[in-house]
Amino acid sequence: MSTKLSQRFENWTFKASEDQEWMPAQVPGCVHTDLLRLGKIPDPFYGTNEKEVQWIDKKDWEYRTTFDIESFLYTQEHLELVFDGLDTYADVYVNDTHVLSADNMFRVWKADVKALVKEQGNMLRIHFRSPIQEDLPKLEKLGYALPASNDQSEVGGLGDKRVSIFARKAPYHYGWDWGPRFVTSGIWREVRLEGWTDVKINDLFIRQNEVNATSAQVTAVVEVETSQPIDTVIRIGADGQRWEKAVSLQSGSHTVEVTIPIQNPKLWWSRGLGEAYRYTFAAEVLQGERAVATHEVKTGLRSIRLVRDSDEAGASFYFELNGVAVFAKGANHIPNDSFITEVTRERYMHEIISAAESNMNMLRVWGGGFYEEDVFYDLCDEYGIMVWQDFMFACSMYPGDEAFLNSVRHEAIDNVKRLRNHPSIVLWCGNNEIDSAWAHYIENGGWGWKKDYNAEQRERIWADYEAIFHDLLPEVVEAYAPGIDYWPSSPIVSLTGDEKQHAHPSTSEGDIHYWGVWHNVEPFENYNIYVGRFMSEYGFQSFPEYKSVRTYAEEEDLALESEVMLAHQKNGAGNRLIKQYMDMYLHEPKDFPSFLYMSQVLQAEAMKTAIEAHRRRKPYCMGTLYWQMNDCWPVASWAGMDYLGRWKALQYYAKRSFNDVLVSVDGTKEDVTDIYVVSDLLKKVEGELQVQLIGFDGTVHWEEIFAVNVAPNAGEKLLSLRHADWLEGHDATTTLLRLALRQEGVTDIVQEHYFVPAKELALKPASIKVSGGGDEDGVHLVLESDVLAKQVWMSSEVEGVFSDNFFDLIPGFPVKVKFISREGLQQADVNSNPGAVEVRSMADFIRVN
């Protein structure tokens, strides 16, 4: 908030530069979405239409509007045209006078237009140059191609000419192995006219010098701009307190620091550890008692550091929040849409609330997208979701010429300053996977990129890399967001300057991206072997559910190798890998809709194996972020929620596996099952664990109770069960272990374990009874079954999320489930329309021989 006066623009039109007809446009927006709304292009997400719209990025486009200036604004001493985002190469004209040229999507662009405008009858015009035509000459001038693995240049009709690395533009716009290629142009964030007279506050940063439970020493850093010398008082207010500083300012820009001591501060905590409390700090420039300029920010007070201490195994890697070692639980976030401006506040809320409801405490904003909208970080602040923030570089090598570095520096400053008051941001990371992909210090290491270059080219490319990620970006973070750690690349061991620098699945320092499961077709069991200090990426694909698939495919397209299915599978081997792993682990699905369901169960089982393997290794491993949280279009991918926000099986599994108290089973040994209890709570876990051997018909063959007493923020192996002793001759294909943790007399955590792989289980069709009711906990469904019903899937006509889904239903053990509607994110009475909920289990989807 600020007292700067502003005016937004309306009634935009646009056209291809070569055309005569101006058409109505929506701003913020882009050419693709404007053309779609006018019916000029087919739905890019449907069928194989992606290839039908590749012509758009080869053309220049123009946007324009006429405007009058409201008198209160026109009379101001200064008038500035402000663009929060121009995508990407743009020339801006006011009343036919060129006022600025933009070349970076991620920067804020401003121009003083006071001398150019009149009160009525002004014209604002923006000419967007084709990012493809702009950057092809740069590739030719360089003389050799730079690696850009995910740039789908062939989809865009460019052959092997990958130009994405030259543009400071969202990398995923050029395609990825889960996303389409739509290289957009347009005004993608707000544009406005700002006016001020005498004095204004440009920025307010609450620098947190030292924060603990008893006191917080912070500094309000106020950027003030004046048009004439003034003697003034800068006042800061927060939580009923005030702090002031008298200053004399000459005309120009100034930084004023006001010391703020706060006793017994209310701290900001991540989800699960406490309240995510935020203070509102208001800055005022006073003339007497009158405020002539104001600015307001919200922030949470917390201490945060990345702890990398040497130990017997290597070196730790964990986040310490307010003195507490936090096990990071969450996922990697990608943009929620190929067309950024289509993402509503509701969609952001759905994602962040889904993360919180899934017991997550961290999201990694991955470096191939864009620096997210303010609302994303506001919601992360509110719900206690820590953010690992990448700079926008991924899976490519980049140029290092002076113009490029200068652009990157401005981009970094703009975004670090914009986001630095968010308590949720706990790390800035230079890039995604580039250090390990290039592997400079290992001749035959990495992704094979180096073999395409001679020694001189290699050294130049690496020097350019170091200039950005080892010099420029950490300098910006240190200067503009002191107290927040910088990590050069994900993954990396540490900056050693030799072969020890580059991460691999067995490194015992730094963070790890483990992709042996999936890309290398390694078994799920390997998730138990390759456990690092912080698992920042790993993943497994599935398809969206049938309803979602039908938004982009017709019935005749429902085959793995159909043109449409392949168009919506951006990982070349993806469909084959899903089928290959399904043959390894699950029963054969009876038809294609069943294959969709089974793919989700397969993905969920893979990620459960990984997450719980990581958590069982606490405190050696202190973070697990799977790939990926969300999708940017309807597609088969690694996401836990599909493009339409529908929770896949993975999301429900993650909710259980991320529970703050976890009962986890390690069943990788041939004749012994190890049972662990892991807690992220800051209090002891005391209770009892009921272990039962149960037949698929509900018969309890054996039962034993074990005392549980786990220290705060710790985990331990509670017991080891010998299979021969427990099974006692019972058929392993029709018998399971049910583990129930009871605390304070309430059974609140249940886990099932099977003695044989899922494909060997003797499943029978289940008769599932569904009843409803209400109690002090709200409206709910109660499910009961006559035989074991595995991976019970409830689907509803109303869009929303169940409190649990894809769970195993054992005879004699009813399960109570609530439903939360996305409309208003409220609990819905699913009993008012019994037909609105359909219930099925795995036996309904498998082929019976």
Side-chain angles (χ1 to χ4, degrees):
M1 175 189 143
S2 176
T3 52
K4 293 192 292 282
L5 303 171
S6 66
Q7 174 182 323
R8 288 159 181 79
F9 299 92
E10 298 177 343
N11 302 318
W12 288 90
T13 57
F14 84 113
K15 69 179 183 69
S17 293
E18 64 198 35
D19 294 344
Q20 299 301 312
E21 179 193 0
W22 289 91
M23 301 172 286
Q26 184 169 306
V27 172
C30 74
V31 172
H32 288 73
T33 51
D34 283 330
L35 290 172
L36 180 60
R37 285 190 187 92
L38 294 170
K40 301 291 185 180
I41 59 171
D43 179 357
F45 290 172
Y46 183 78
T48 60
N49 287 346
E50 175 192 2
K51 63 186 180 184
E52 302 300 323
V53 298
Q54 295 303 312
W55 57 273
I56 296 172
D57 61 45
K58 316 300 187 300
K59 290 179 177 287
D60 289 3
W61 297 87
E62 294 187 21
Y63 280 73
R64 77 176 184 186
T65 185
T66 55
F67 64 98
D68 300 331
I69 303 177
E70 297 180 42
S71 56
F72 73 87
L73 189 62
Y74 186 69
T75 56
Q76 296 299 307
E77 184 179 3
H78 300 273
L79 282 177
E80 205 168 34
L81 184 60
V82 181
F83 294 92
D84 287 338
L86 288 169
D87 176 16
T88 289
Y89 297 108
D91 298 305
V92 180
Y93 299 85
V94 173
N95 295 332
D96 292 326
T97 299
H98 178 263
V99 296
L100 69 86
S101 290
D103 61 359
N104 187 321
M105 171 180 173
F106 306 124
R107 287 184 58 184
V108 175
W109 298 93
K110 299 180 180 181
D112 186 343
V113 296
K114 177 69 176 179
L116 298 176
V117 295
K118 48 199 176 184
E119 193 164 357
Q120 293 184 324
N122 299 282
M123 168 77 75
L124 172 59
R125 179 170 62 89
I126 301 126
H127 175 232
F128 289 97
R129 306 191 302 281
S130 158
I132 304 305
Q133 310 297 358
E134 184 78 13
D135 288 333
L136 279 171
K138 297 176 188 174
L139 177 62
E140 189 169 337
K141 181 181 178 182
L142 184 63
Y144 51 83
L146 287 169
S149 308
N150 287 281
D151 184 328
Q152 297 172 13
S153 53
E154 64 285 352
V155 174
L158 301 175
D160 61 356
K161 294 180 179 178
R162 296 180 172 87
V163 295
S164 56
I165 42 88
F166 297 106
R168 290 313 299 146
K169 173 174 174 56
Y172 84 111
H173 282 170
Y174 296 81
W176 218 266
D177 59 0
W178 37 257
R181 183 188 183 279
F182 300 125
V183 183
T184 55
S185 289
I187 308 166
W188 74 287
R189 277 182 172 155
E190 185 181 274
V191 52
R192 62 191 174 277
L193 197 61
E194 285 186 355
W196 64 281
T197 298
D198 295 336
V199 60
K200 67 171 177 171
I201 299 176
N202 286 323
D203 189 62
L204 172 59
F205 171 41
I206 306 302
R207 188 176 71 220
Q208 303 189 28
N209 308 314
E210 186 176 351
V211 176
N212 56 51
T214 58
S215 68
Q217 302 299 322
V218 304
T219 302
V221 182
V222 189
E223 289 185 15
V224 183
E225 188 172 350
T226 65
S227 57
Q228 58 190 21
I230 61 168
D231 293 324
T232 185
V233 171
I234 306 294
R235 176 189 288 167
I236 308 296
D239 226 32
Q241 300 183 70
R242 287 180 172 180
W243 304 268
E244 294 182 350
K245 184 173 184 176
V247 292
S248 294
L249 304 176
Q250 299 302 309
S251 59
S253 296
H254 308 271
T255 298
V256 179
E257 296 192 355
V258 182
T259 301
I260 300 177
I262 300 176
Q263 296 303 309
N264 302 313
K266 298 175 184 176
L267 299 181
W268 184 91
W269 288 96
S270 59
R271 190 220 57 81
L273 294 182
E275 182 184 2
Y277 187 85
R278 289 179 293 167
Y279 288 81
T280 298
F281 289 88
E284 297 175 302
V285 178
L286 301 177
Q287 293 281 272
E289 275 301 307
R290 185 172 69 93
V292 294
T294 65
H295 197 83
E296 190 175 280
V297 298
K298 260 188 178 180
T299 192
L301 300 181
R302 85 285 184 263
S303 66
I304 186 70
R305 68 186 184 108
L306 175 63
V307 180
R308 296 175 56 238
D309 292 339
S310 296
D311 56 26
E312 292 180 359
S316 64
F317 191 109
Y318 67 88
F319 293 91
E320 184 186 83
L321 176 65
N322 301 327
V324 173
V326 181
F327 190 103
K329 301 176 292 191
N332 287 260
H333 158 93
I334 67 167
N336 276 302
D337 207 291
S338 292
F339 307 115
I340 297 170
T341 54
E342 295 299 292
V343 184
T344 61
R345 177 179 174 82
E346 189 278 334
R347 287 173 67 180
Y348 277 120
M349 284 187 65
H350 178 64
E351 180 191 4
I352 303 307
I353 292 175
S354 291
E357 287 294 313
S358 301
N359 297 309
M360 295 179 176
N361 61 16
M362 179 176 278
L363 290 172
R364 174 183 173 224
V365 178
W366 164 81
F370 65 101
Y371 306 94
E372 270 292 355
E373 302 292 351
D374 292 337
V375 63
F376 173 88
Y377 302 100
D378 288 340
L379 289 166
C380 288
D381 293 346
E382 179 181 350
Y383 285 90
I385 304 297
M386 296 181 290
V387 174
W388 168 317
Q389 177 68 52
D390 282 6
F391 285 96
M392 291 302 118
F393 301 89
C395 303
S396 307
M397 301 304 286
Y398 292 87
D401 57 90
E402 185 178 355
F404 189 85
L405 293 178
N406 186 54
S407 181
V408 169
R409 182 179 297 278
H410 282 290
E411 164 193 327
I413 292 170
D414 279 0
N415 286 284
V416 170
K417 287 183 68 174
R418 176 172 71 93
L419 301 177
R420 60 187 174 178
N421 281 313
H422 290 284
S424 54
I425 295 183
V426 298
L427 184 74
W428 281 93
C429 177
N431 67 72
N432 176 72
E433 295 188 339
I434 306 178
D435 182 89
S436 55
W438 182 259
H440 187 71
Y441 301 107
I442 302 175
E443 177 60 30
N444 295 314
W447 298 357
W449 286 351
K450 295 194 299 293
K451 64 179 174 53
D452 295 329
Y453 305 92
N454 61 42
E456 182 183 349
Q457 289 169 338
R458 287 188 192 184
E459 291 304 320
R460 177 183 170 185
I461 291 169
W462 183 246
D464 290 344
Y465 172 90
E466 290 189 310
I468 297 171
F469 303 108
H470 296 178
D471 299 331
L472 188 160
L473 293 179
E475 287 171 5
V476 169
V477 173
E478 185 177 2
Y480 293 93
I484 300 297
D485 284 293
Y486 173 82
W487 191 237
S489 181
S490 181
I492 194 174
V493 176
S494 62
L495 284 184
T496 60
D498 58 24
E499 69 277 1
K500 295 177 183 176
Q501 177 167 308
H502 311 305
H504 57 80
S506 298
T507 47
S508 59
E509 298 182 34
D511 66 320
I512 288 176
H513 293 189
Y514 171 58
W515 285 100
V517 176
W518 184 255
H519 290 304
N520 295 346
V521 206
E522 295 175 19
F524 292 173
E525 290 73 17
N526 280 15
Y527 281 128
N528 293 277
I529 299 171
Y530 298 108
V531 179
R533 310 311 293 264
F534 195 104
M535 305 300 293
S536 46
E537 261 196 43
Y538 56 92
F540 196 92
Q541 273 202 4
S542 72
F543 276 79
E545 63 181 81
Y546 176 79
K547 277 195 303 186
S548 298
V549 170
R550 287 289 278 108
T551 65
Y552 64 82
E554 300 298 327
E555 285 290 339
E556 58 265 28
D557 300 317
L558 300 186
L560 263 187
E561 298 302 312
S562 75
E563 188 180 7
V564 171
M565 286 302 120
L566 293 176
H568 288 256
Q569 167 58 272
K570 288 294 185 173
N571 180 232
N575 291 356
R576 175 184 60 79
L577 285 171
I578 294 173
K579 176 71 166 61
Q580 189 172 348
Y581 272 104
M582 197 177 294
D583 291 343
M584 291 166 59
Y585 288 103
L586 296 179
H587 294 279
E588 183 184 357
K590 66 182 184 182
D591 53 25
F592 192 78
S594 299
F595 180 88
L596 302 178
Y597 162 89
M598 296 288 272
S599 78
Q600 290 199 17
V601 170
L602 182 71
Q603 177 193 37
E605 289 287 338
M607 294 298 90
K608 175 181 188 288
T609 302
I611 291 168
E612 297 193 12
H614 303 157
R615 292 193 67 189
R616 289 196 300 267
R617 292 291 301 277
K618 179 182 181 175
Y620 175 83
C621 177
M622 285 296 287
T624 179
L625 308 177
Y626 64 78
W627 185 270
Q628 65 211 59
M629 181 72 185
N630 54 326
D631 272 327
C632 70
W633 75 318
V635 67
S637 83
W638 296 270
M641 295 194 313
D642 72 21
Y643 170 71
L644 296 167
R646 293 167 179 158
W647 282 30
K648 296 182 182 179
L650 164 55
Q651 203 66 41
Y652 289 102
Y653 269 58
K655 179 180 180 179
R656 297 192 287 266
S657 292
F658 283 149
N659 204 340
D660 291 335
V661 178
L662 172 71
V663 176
S664 181
V665 178
D666 180 359
T668 58
K669 299 175 184 174
E670 190 170 335
D671 56 353
V672 174
T673 293
D674 293 329
I675 299 174
Y676 293 74
V677 177
V678 182
S679 171
D680 295 330
L681 299 178
L682 302 185
K683 62 181 181 180
K684 274 187 178 180
V685 175
E686 297 178 294
E688 56 185 31
L689 184 69
Q690 179 188 48
V691 183
Q692 295 173 297
L693 186 74
I694 304 176
F696 286 5
D697 63 355
T699 303
V700 178
H701 301 303
W702 183 267
E703 178 178 325
E704 196 165 340
I705 305 293
F706 299 88
V708 174
N709 194 327
V710 176
N713 203 17
E716 65 176 51
K717 182 165 69 173
L718 189 67
L719 66 149
S720 294
L721 305 178
R722 290 180 53 82
H723 295 177
D725 295 343
W726 271 78
L727 278 170
E728 289 188 323
H730 293 291
D731 185 354
T733 67
T734 58
T735 311
L736 63 93
L737 275 181
R738 181 179 186 270
L739 313 170
L741 179 62
R742 185 177 296 124
Q743 301 177 83
E744 298 178 355
V746 178
T747 299
D748 51 5
I749 298 168
V750 175
Q751 175 89 279
E752 295 85 22
H753 175 67
Y754 299 86
F755 296 96
V756 296
K759 69 182 300 181
E760 296 178 22
L761 296 177
L763 300 178
K764 294 181 179 178
S767 176
I768 300 174
K769 177 186 173 185
V770 182
S771 56
D775 55 22
E776 69 280 356
D777 196 32
V779 179
H780 58 259
L781 297 173
V782 177
L783 287 78
E784 300 174 86
S785 181
D786 59 338
V787 296
L788 172 73
K790 260 197 83 59
Q791 279 102 7
V792 171
W793 177 38
M794 293 177 290
S795 56
S796 62
E797 292 179 3
V798 178
E799 289 296 328
V801 173
F802 292 92
S803 60
D804 201 2
N805 210 347
F806 289 93
F807 53 82
D808 294 356
L809 188 58
I810 304 169
F813 297 90
V815 172
K816 184 170 76 172
V817 178
K818 288 196 299 184
F819 178 75
I820 307 298
S821 167
R822 278 188 69 174
E823 192 164 327
L825 301 174
Q826 298 297 313
Q827 186 173 294
D829 184 354
V830 289
N831 303 305
S832 62
N833 181 8
V837 177
E838 188 175 1
V839 182
R840 289 163 287 181
S841 70
M842 181 172 282
D844 300 322
F845 294 98
I846 61 178
R847 187 179 299 280
V848 179
N849 294 325

